[in-house]
Amino acid sequence: HILELYPDGPQILNELIQNADDARASEVCILVNRQSYPTSSLLSPNLACWQGPAIYFYNNSVFRPQDFINLTKIGQGSKIDCLGKTGKFGLGFNAVYHFTDLPSFVSGEYLVYFDPHTKYLPGATVQHPGLRIKFTRNNILSQFPDQFKPYLMLGCDLQSEFAGTLFRFPLRRSDSAQHSEIKKVPYTAEDVDGLVDSFRRLGPDALLFLKHIRQIKIFEMDETGETHLLYKMQARADPVDHAARFMTIPTFVEGTPDAPVSKQQFLATLQKLSTDRLPTCDMLVEISKTDPRAGSTCTERWAISSAIGGGRARDMAVHPSTLHLRLVPWVGLAVLLSRDGGPATLAGGRSFCFLPLPSETGL
């Protein structure tokens, strides 16, 4: 069962953040929408149970054609040839089925629904368990206003091309859970509150080693439609121009959007370069955490050192017996220097694979 691979909790949001980072997004927003929407004009009456409260996840990157293909492969992934990408897009996305049986998203010109049960969307089949709508050439809002009203937020109007990606995960209600073949447990408002609180505690550390994401915001939309900022975390190189110095490392590994690097190209370059020519970066990073409800902001200053390793690490990555593992000798170390201008200490070191892992190093 696909959910056995992914525990419930903040790790689900970590999966989505990792995918956004792989897509070179710099900004992420998480929105808890407590509204319920009308059910009169839907694509199918069966969709009425998914018009209630939902979790939204926005990032400011747009899906590429290959990304659409990757997400349709439940239980599979297509990052094998992309060494800069740490997770499998299909598998990582499937963690959201803890929340819902009907995930959907808007990106560019398209609105996409997934219906693994093939019982909610009209025309869904085992071969095609979903629906992709090119909304820029269809006036879907006037035809099915209730169906598409939940997507009109965070800059999305379902008329012009959307310069980002907005996922909607309507929460599984008790009545839907009884008939679900994915998970028999509803996802309640209390579950969402716990998820957000857990992630908020872990979130700021996530910005230490991500390649592209520099800002994460968490919002709440109440039953009246009012939106409130709950939390904001932001990372900034100090001085700012040092951020470009760090980007030499992910560019070395994954290339640029216009000229991506394949695994063969990366390993060939890694093998022929001497250690002193491999990219490294030492920088200072300021991470701010703002809680508007408490009226507080905390600023931490970190020293971060990153490098593509040579020596034995490089030898292991390029050795014929380990090529199938697609190892990347990328290492980073972060040390907390100060908090709000004063001295600061950490209770214990943590290990990361770009995002925090549930283990301590004792350092």
Side-chain angles (χ1 to χ4, degrees), residues 45-67:
N46 296 335
L47 290 164
C49 59
W50 303 107
Q51 288 291 97
I55 298 174
Y56 292 71
F57 185 91
Y58 161 84
N59 70 73
N60 63 343
S61 67
V62 178
F63 262 50
R64 299 172 300 120
Q66 185 62 38
D67 294 329

Side-chain angles (χ1 to χ4, degrees), residues 14 56 63 128 137 150 197 212 276 284 309:
N14 282 351
Y56 292 71
F63 262 50
H128 301 284
R137 67 182 183 192
D197 287 342
H212 304 282
D276 62 349
L284 297 177

Side-chain angles (χ1 to χ4, degrees), residues 35-355:
Q35 285 194 107
S36 292
Y37 293 88
T39 58
S40 298
S41 52
L42 302 179
L43 293 171
S44 165
N46 296 335
L47 290 164
C49 59
W50 303 107
Q51 288 291 97
I55 298 174
Y56 292 71
F57 185 91
Y58 161 84
N59 70 73
N60 63 343
S61 67
V62 178
F63 262 50
R64 299 172 300 120
Q66 185 62 38
D67 294 329
F68 286 104
I69 296 172
N70 294 351
L71 269 181
T72 63
K73 301 176 181 179
I74 293 179
Q76 301 179 41
S78 299
K79 292 188 179 178
I80 290 175
D81 197 47
C82 300
L83 287 176
K85 301 187 176 184
T86 62
K88 292 181 179 292
F89 209 124
L91 286 176
F93 177 78
N94 283 337
V96 306
Y97 286 107
H98 281 290
F99 303 143
T100 187
D101 291 1
L102 194 79
S104 59
F105 69 91
V106 179
S107 189
E109 299 180 285
Y110 294 98
L111 169 59
V112 178
Y113 287 91
F114 295 98
D115 180 11
H117 290 101
T118 68
K119 68 178 183 181
Y120 297 110
L121 292 172
T125 64
V126 173
Q127 291 75 27
H128 301 284
L131 182 65
R132 183 164 75 161
I133 302 169
K134 190 171 185 178
F135 59 82
T136 53
R137 67 182 183 192
N138 296 283
N139 193 5
I140 59 176
L141 273 176
S142 63
Q143 299 176 62
F144 303 97
D146 294 345
Q147 181 71 61
F148 301 116
K149 186 178 179 181
Y151 300 92
L152 303 181
M153 59 184 65
L154 296 174
C156 178
D157 61 13
L158 288 184
Q159 297 181 56
S160 56
E161 186 171 339
F162 183 51
T165 300
L166 176 64
F167 292 94
R168 180 176 183 263
F169 308 121
L171 302 184
R172 184 185 296 109
R173 304 188 323 198
S174 297
D175 54 347
S176 302
Q178 293 177 7
H179 306 289
S180 176
E181 298 177 32
I182 296 176
K183 191 171 184 178
K184 298 290 186 182
V185 181
Y187 214 88
T188 66
E190 291 74 21
D191 293 328
V192 173
D193 292 339
L195 175 76
V196 170
D197 287 342
S198 297
F199 176 76
R200 189 177 65 176
R201 291 192 294 270
L202 295 174
D205 288 349
L207 293 174
L208 289 173
F209 294 112
L210 288 173
K211 296 167 290 184
H212 304 282
I213 293 174
R214 298 293 176 261
Q215 179 175 272
I216 301 174
K217 295 179 181 178
I218 303 175
F219 295 92
E220 178 186 52
M221 181 178 288
D222 62 27
E223 292 86 349
T224 68
E226 290 290 326
T227 302
H228 311 277
L229 177 64
L230 301 181
Y231 201 67
K232 176 183 175 180
M233 54 199 83
Q234 189 166 9
R236 182 180 67 86
D238 185 18
V240 175
D241 60 359
H242 281 196
R245 183 189 305 175
F246 167 76
M247 287 308 299
T248 59
I249 299 178
T251 299
F252 179 78
V253 175
E254 62 189 14
T256 65
D258 295 330
V261 171
S262 71
K263 70 176 185 293
Q264 291 90 353
Q265 291 171 319
F266 167 77
L267 292 172
T269 302
L270 180 67
Q271 188 166 25
K272 69 183 181 182
L273 287 182
S274 59
T275 298
D276 62 349
R277 294 182 61 194
L278 296 175
T280 65
C281 176
D282 297 322
M283 61 190 293
L284 297 177
V285 173
E286 185 177 279
I287 294 182
S288 61
K289 300 171 281 186
T290 302
D291 185 342
R293 292 176 300 178
S296 65
T297 297
C298 174
T299 301
E300 295 178 344
R301 192 171 175 83
W302 292 77
I304 300 178
S305 180
S306 304
I308 297 297
R312 294 176 61 187
R314 187 249 308 276
D315 294 343
M316 182 182 297
V318 301
H319 195 277
S321 66
T322 57
L323 283 177
H324 67 286
L325 297 176
R326 305 175 186 89
L327 301 175
V328 180
W330 184 342
V331 65
L333 175 68
V335 177
L336 179 61
L337 301 178
S338 65
R339 181 178 291 119
D340 290 332
T345 58
L346 293 175
R350 299 188 64 186
S351 55
F352 286 63
C353 185
F354 293 99
L355 286 165

